[in-house]
């Protein structure tokens, strides 16, 4: 499990962006600690990788959410 700060450092995505993705339901943290820290596992990191790929391809966040949430 990695903190939001670690994920930001690894991926180059800002902490603010990760918080926004959480707020819109695009990338929810795997768990939130009692202190309120967002924690991400490998599955969440793979989803973030997919999000970044679709962003690079110029998809909107709404479109990406639909794509990733579809079976």
């Amino acid at each position: 499990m990695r903190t939001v700060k670690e994920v930001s450092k690894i991926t180059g995505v800002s902490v603010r962006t990760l918080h926004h993705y959480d707020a819109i339901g695009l990338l929810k943290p795997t768990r939130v600690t009692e202190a309120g820290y967002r924690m991400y596992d490998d599955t969440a990191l793979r989803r973030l990788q997919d999000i970044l790929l679709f962003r690079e391809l110029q998809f909107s966040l709404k479109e990406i959410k639909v794509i990733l949430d579809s079976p």
Side-chain angles (χ1 to χ4, degrees):
M1 297 284 264
R2 299 180 191 275
T3 65
V4 71
K5 185 175 180 180
E6 292 170 327
V7 172
S8 174
K9 190 173 183 178
I10 291 168
T11 63
V13 175
S14 72
V15 171
R16 184 175 176 171
T17 297
L18 292 170
H19 286 198
H20 177 67
Y21 288 174
D22 180 15
I24 64 172
L26 183 58
L27 179 68
K28 291 291 188 182
T30 305
R31 74 181 185 93
V32 179
T33 67
E34 288 183 22
Y37 291 103
R38 292 168 173 87
M39 303 296 292
Y40 297 88
D41 65 4
D42 289 338
T43 301
L45 292 177
R46 278 190 292 278
R47 183 173 173 101
L48 179 56
Q49 186 177 20
D50 291 341
I51 292 167
L52 296 175
L53 170 68
F54 285 116
R55 289 297 293 156
E56 189 71 26
L57 296 172
Q58 305 294 313
F59 283 87
S60 72
L61 294 178
K62 279 185 178 181
E63 291 170 319
I64 293 170
K65 185 170 182 352
V66 169
I67 291 166
L68 295 181
D69 291 346
S70 297

